[in-house]
Amino acid sequence: FFTSVDETARATFTPLGDRVMLWNRNGLTFYYPQEAQESAPFLPVKNVREAQLARDGRRVVVGDEMGRVSVWN
């Protein structure tokens, strides 16, 4: 997912604080910070500009550079 340091990468903890959601121009994924490994499949969304988790942590709203918005669960 991250092949080099990318100054556009963004991150936020999930509501329970057990995972970190990471996104950049390559897409979006989740990691367990204690284990430093991917915890969920990579979402095949390119050019992610913004991402927001639902309060329950079950859905993600993703906006891309083309102005498209998608919801993933």
Side-chain angles (χ1 to χ4, degrees), residues 35-60:
E35 300 168 14
Q37 65 183 13
E38 197 169 344
S39 67
F42 170 77
L43 295 182
V45 180
K46 296 292 182 186
N47 302 313
V48 176
R49 297 282 295 187
E50 191 61 53
Q52 182 68 45
L53 282 163
R55 288 183 184 164
D56 63 7
R58 294 180 181 206
R59 293 176 307 279
V60 179

Side-chain angles (χ1 to χ4, degrees), residues 14-42:
T14 59
L16 295 177
D18 60 336
R19 293 177 291 160
V20 176
M21 181 174 71
L22 300 165
W23 68 95
N24 66 8
R25 61 182 169 75
N26 294 319
L28 183 145
T29 195
F30 290 87
Y31 282 90
Y32 282 109
Q34 299 88 351
E35 300 168 14
Q37 65 183 13
E38 197 169 344
S39 67
F42 170 77

